[in-house]
Amino acid sequence: MEILTTLQAIKDYAAQAKKQGKSIGLVPTMGALHEGHLTLMREARAKCDIVIASVFVNPTQFGPNEDYDAYPRQFAADCEKLESVNVDAVFHPEPAEMYPEGYCTYVNVEGDITHKLCGAQRPGHFRGVATVVTKLINLARADEAFFGQKDAQQVTVIRRFVEDLNINVHINMVPIAREENGLARSSRNTYLSPAEKEAALVLSRSLKAAKAAFANGEREISALEHIVTEELHKEPMANIDYVKAYAYPSLKPLTEASEDTLLAIAVKIGKTRLIDNVILSA
Ligand code: PAF
């Protein structure tokens, strides 16, 4: 696997692949790779001739009081994992390579889709995500890019700017990877103590309860949100940031749940903020 750390290195690598007529799949990550990321890599491997992963903890998507400094960085272990799923190249730049002195251009997706859910809780977050993902897609000259459903709102935002800015890439959303006990895989799970990890199971449990109610005919949005909230309240370590249902992928408000309803939650377990969701048809 090639390790690319400069803009010039990834540009040259992508140019070479294009010259050979190869399709390029990009999997952007912030590292601390887990099975969820590897699922994305495998999807990319199955669909594209060349797979480029990026490992970059993107400073512009973190708020001033968020976990940018503490975010787990374990590049050597990440490389081993990437090699185990036959990734061709990893792009791992320093922040100054991506945002050099004088940098002042950002991609800002305006409107409702960035103002709710995580956008409401984390001002500026999606501006940082949209900016770095635009840069990564351009640098890798990606034909396909792969993202997890755990960040379902992120996928809606990325699809929006890709369409609005006429970027020639196809965005793939891959289902959430879960541990056997239901916990959605996340790099932030590494922050959890054993007791917190046990408490965090309440997230998937609460969504499962709502999904079961939907399967049994419950269609009222407030009733489904209430089922989730009730279940979360049973766990003393859980502090709810939001429990919300929207149409997916539009993220428009709903009065009645249907097969494309996204039920999304953000919950703090101790100091760790976790997100999870379910699309009711799934
Ligand atoms: O989902 C993530 O890990 C990040 O938001 C992404 C897409 C890699 C951009 O930094």
Side-chain angles (χ1 to χ4, degrees), residues 28-30 37 56 58 61 125 129 132-133 147 151 154 158:
T29 82
M30 297 205 299
H37 295 112
F56 178 61
N58 173 37
Q61 70 188 74
H125 171 67
V129 170
V132 80
V133 172
F147 300 88
D151 299 296
Q154 172 170 277
I158 290 170

Side-chain angles (χ1 to χ4, degrees), residues 114-190:
T114 53
H115 293 157
K116 52 184 54 165
L117 302 172
C118 289
Q121 306 278 325
R122 305 183 66 190
H125 171 67
F126 285 117
R127 176 181 182 261
V129 170
T131 301
V132 80
V133 172
T134 303
K135 286 164 70 67
L136 291 168
I137 288 170
N138 283 342
L139 286 164
R141 297 177 62 180
D143 300 288
E144 305 277 340
F146 297 80
F147 300 88
Q149 186 199 311
K150 189 164 78 64
D151 299 296
Q153 183 180 18
Q154 172 170 277
V155 176
T156 292
V157 171
I158 290 170
R159 285 189 169 143
R160 182 77 258 165
F161 77 71
V162 161
E163 189 178 333
D164 289 353
L165 299 178
N166 317 114
I167 301 176
N168 209 2
V169 66
H170 177 249
I171 302 300
N172 299 266
M173 183 169 85
V174 179
I176 298 178
R178 296 183 181 279
E179 293 184 11
E180 270 174 20
N181 57 20
L183 182 66
R185 307 245 180 202
S186 165
S187 304
R188 290 190 169 95
N189 291 350
T190 57

Side-chain angles (χ1 to χ4, degrees), residues 199 202 232-239 268-270:
V202 74
L232 290 170
H233 279 154
K234 289 182 194 159
E235 172 48 63
M237 282 194 199
N239 268 309
K268 281 207 189 81
I269 302 288

Side-chain angles (χ1 to χ4, degrees), residues 3-15 52 54 56 90-101 103 131-132 134-141:
I3 297 178
L4 314 167
T5 57
T6 63
L7 304 184
Q8 197 55 54
I10 186 170
K11 283 182 191 170
D12 290 348
Y13 187 86
I52 303 179
S54 62
F56 178 61
V90 58
F91 179 50
H92 181 52
E94 288 297 322
E97 187 74 11
M98 292 295 272
Y99 302 109
E101 183 85 24
Y103 187 93
T131 301
V132 80
T134 303
K135 286 164 70 67
L136 291 168
I137 288 170
N138 283 342
L139 286 164
R141 297 177 62 180

